[in-house]
Amino acid sequence: MSELRYEAPESVSAAVALLAGAKGMARVLAGGTDVIVQMETELIEPELIVDIKKIPEVRGISAENGGFRVGAAATGMQICDHKEFARTWPGVIEGVKLIGSIQVKGRASMGGNLCNASPGADSVPPMFTAGAIARVVGPKGVREVPVEQIPTAPGKTSLAKDEIVTSFFFPARPKRSGDAYQRFTPRTEMDIAVTGVAINLSLDDKGVCTAARVAIGAVAPTALLVKDAGAALVGTKVDDAAIEKMVAAARAACKPIDDKRGTKEFRIEVTGVLAKRVAKAALERALANK
Amino acid sequence: MKKHHITLSVNGDDYDALVEPQQTLLDTLRDTLMLTGTKEGCATGDCGACSVIVDGTLQCACLMLGVEANGAKVETIEGMAKGEKLHPLQKAILEHNGLQCGICTPGVLMAAKALLERNPDPTETETRFWLAGNLCRCTGYDKLIKSVLVAAKEMRGA
Ligand SMILES: Cc1cc2nc3c(=O)[nH]c(=O)nc-3n(C[C@@H](O)[C@@H](O)[C@H](O)COP(=O)(O)OP(=O)(O)OC[C@H]3O[C@@H](n4cnc5c(N)ncnc54)[C@H](O)[C@@H]3O)c2cc1C
Ligand code: FES
Ligand code: FES
């Protein structure tokens, strides 16, 4: 094994410089719930670990322009315990809550969940539907990137090796908006999604849907934002006919694998069932949120 | 391999240690500081046997590097009893057969302690969800959960 170097810089620019200068494999370390497991099981043998948790701006959660800025390394427990954020984005919280045990959520971050690029990452579909924007910093400066453009394949992202996500911006929320996320797993807790669906929608004062985003997880190489599925709800009262159209679009977007946890047919079927339930949950929340 | 010098507090005692960068907090506690009360079941975050409280947060010692604990306040099972006096959770788990082989017990106790510090009066369902990250092959969980609820009641003075 090559020498492992551990660095814990206190600024984003120092972190980026370390990554830019790395000769062999380098890994950003946030909560480590993927990185340390991958090191322990010898899936990866990095030469450099850049722990970003000493950088203040990657850890906080604060109000910004009527929305929220959430540090990329803010922990799951920190996010769930933030009452304002949790009240505003219940669907994002449903995703974050499903990330492993209480112990795992004591460390795991949304930044890591996104950048690890597992197709089944639970906080990712609701981040997509929330329209969260990742702030990405590299040697050339700052880019603001819609989260759905970050994962590109299992374990792969669109980030350059010397770029890090420092935070996510969750935009201001119109009244009569609601989001929800549900996944299917064989067990209730501590399991990996066989499929997951997130929906975020807004209604006007007559109950007509003005905007809707639908995302699916674990049924394609990355989580997917399904534009047609969202479009099927816009201009409707999210009635059964509209939901059926949305479900058909969500199923059509699935490109699942076949494995012991679920066949292709099963994953596609259940994605539709979940999409229907999640639409109803999001609608109920939007109606209650006057 | 370059070693890092860390200082940390474990159960209120200050320690100095030299750790290798890839060494986990679990290895550091068990092999460097010789505090073997914290157990290793899986080393991949799945079983919860290594549960400890770091700066007030419950977590798996196997999912954190020793170097990351520099300056941290760590609580482990060794700090639970005060001398001969068992913690109410320890007493309850003994009295209600909440353990058999005992390998999961230190982790369960630390997780339960963290739960009761946040929520002194959890429901059975809340307790089951909170402890979902602590696997036990022996008890079937029922007696474990009961022990935690009994201890919670005692600690509330109810
Ligand atoms: C027992 C167990 C159960 C789990 N169950 C679930 C589950 O049910 N659902 C689920 O979704 N996940 C689950 N996970 C995985 C989940 O914990 C991780 O995906 C977690 O969210 C990753 O966050 P982290 O902060 O720990 O990231 P790390 O492990 O620190 O990093 C993950 C990856 O992202 C990169 N990275 C991290 N932060 C950044 C950043 N800011 N900028 C650029 N790159 C970055 C790292 O280099 C690494 O490649 C489980 C994990 C364990 C151990
Ligand atoms: S040894 Fe840490 S969770 Fe199993
Ligand atoms: S008592 Fe044996 S594993 Fe829990």
Side-chain angles (χ1 to χ4, degrees):
Chain A
M1 187 178 152
S2 61
E3 289 265 294
L4 173 68
R5 188 155 67 101
Y6 167 90
E7 299 285 352
E10 288 173 19
S11 72
V12 177
S13 53
V16 166
L18 281 163
L19 291 169
K23 285 182 284 317
M25 179 194 274
R27 277 288 182 276
V28 169
L29 177 72
T33 62
D34 287 316
V35 171
I36 293 174
V37 173
Q38 289 160 7
M39 281 166 53
E40 183 70 29
T41 55
E42 293 176 2
L43 227 56
I44 59 170
E45 272 191 45
E47 171 241 29
L48 172 68
I49 289 286
V50 179
D51 183 353
I52 58 174
K53 292 189 296 298
K54 296 228 158 55
I55 307 171
E57 65 209 83
V58 309
R59 306 212 54 181
I61 304 177
S62 56
E64 184 178 309
N65 286 335
F68 292 94
R69 183 155 298 278
V70 181
T75 67
M77 288 307 272
Q78 207 184 327
I79 296 164
C80 293
D81 285 346
H82 194 287
K83 292 209 169 61
E84 268 303 293
F85 184 84
R87 205 174 49 74
T88 313
W89 293 104
V92 176
I93 295 294
E94 282 167 334
V96 171
K97 270 201 177 152
L98 286 166
I99 301 179
S101 58
I102 302 290
Q103 286 89 330
V104 170
K105 280 188 283 281
R107 301 289 285 178
S109 65
M110 289 201 292
N113 204 224
L114 179 72
C115 296
N116 190 57
S118 154
D122 285 302
S123 73
V124 172
M127 272 201 272
F128 281 15
T129 55
I133 307 288
R135 179 166 289 166
V136 176
V137 183
K140 292 194 215 95
V142 181
R143 306 192 283 140
E144 305 284 348
V145 185
V147 280
E148 62 271 21
Q149 292 173 18
I150 304 271
T152 54
K156 299 239 155 32
T157 69
S158 57
L159 301 176
K161 80 162 210 191
D162 49 9
E163 283 184 318
I164 63 174
V165 177
T166 58
S167 61
F168 299 105
F169 179 66
F170 286 80
R173 205 105 170 82
K175 281 198 184 341
R176 289 178 292 275
S177 296
D179 73 331
Y181 172 75
Q182 292 179 22
R183 69 173 185 184
F184 176 82
T185 55
R187 303 174 66 209
T188 359
E189 273 284 283
M190 300 295 287
D191 205 342
I192 304 165
V194 169
T195 166
V197 179
I199 298 181
N200 176 26
L201 52 82
S202 300
L203 308 172
D204 66 13
D205 52 8
K206 298 193 182 62
V208 175
C209 178
T210 53
R213 285 161 74 91
V214 177
I216 53 180
V219 285
T222 66
L224 290 177
L225 189 65
V226 189
K227 295 234 164 83
D228 307 351
L233 299 178
V234 175
T236 76
K237 291 204 159 178
V238 194
D239 46 32
D240 289 350
I243 290 178
E244 276 317 310
K245 271 200 194 156
M246 180 278 289
V247 163
R251 285 201 172 117
C254 293
K255 290 186 278 299
I257 52 164
D258 238 333
D259 72 2
K260 61 171 191 243
R261 302 168 38 76
T263 61
K264 276 185 187 157
E265 293 72 19
F266 178 78
R267 286 171 190 255
I268 294 172
E269 176 64 25
V270 176
T271 302
V273 174
L274 282 185
K276 191 165 166 178
R277 285 185 197 159
V278 171
K280 294 199 164 158
L283 177 64
E284 197 172 302
R285 284 176 183 161
L287 290 168
N289 173 12
K290 290 192 198 94
Chain B
M1 180 99 26
K2 184 184 163 221
K3 289 202 177 188
H4 292 256
H5 175 221
I6 62 167
T7 57
L8 72 168
S9 144
V10 184
N11 305 320
D13 295 332
D14 292 329
Y15 288 88
D16 274 275
L18 283 177
V19 295
E20 292 185 357
Q22 80 287 356
Q23 187 178 333
T24 62
L25 175 62
L26 180 60
D27 300 334
T28 307
L29 290 171
R30 290 182 54 87
D31 304 338
T32 310
L33 304 181
M34 299 304 184
L35 293 168
T36 55
T38 305
K39 302 303 177 199
E40 174 173 317
C42 63
T44 51
D46 293 285
C47 74
C50 66
S51 299
V52 294
I53 299 173
V54 181
D55 293 328
T57 303
L58 180 69
Q59 56 188 63
C60 296
C62 71
L63 290 184
M64 179 176 179
L65 299 175
V67 279
E68 290 182 82
N70 190 20
K73 260 186 73 191
V74 181
E75 295 168 59
T76 70
I77 188 64
E78 283 90 349
M80 205 164 199
K82 296 293 165 237
E84 294 290 294
K85 195 169 177 298
L86 293 182
H87 187 281
L89 278 163
Q90 292 173 306
K91 248 178 39 207
I93 226 166
L94 279 174
E95 282 167 11
H96 298 276
N97 301 319
L99 87 165
Q100 289 176 29
C101 80
I103 190 86
C104 71
T105 313
V108 168
L109 285 168
M110 293 313 289
K113 180 166 181 277
L115 168 65
L116 299 186
E117 278 164 11
R118 242 174 104 96
N119 179 0
D121 191 8
T123 62
E124 178 176 336
T125 306
E126 284 166 345
T127 308
R128 284 186 185 271
F129 269 98
W130 186 274
L131 293 178
N134 293 85
L135 301 187
C136 175
R137 287 290 278 149
C138 305
T139 64
Y141 299 103
D142 236 45
K143 291 182 170 146
L144 255 178
I145 302 293
K146 181 164 180 222
S147 309
V148 175
L149 294 174
V150 167
K153 194 160 177 220
E154 192 198 318
M155 287 165 70
R156 290 195 307 276

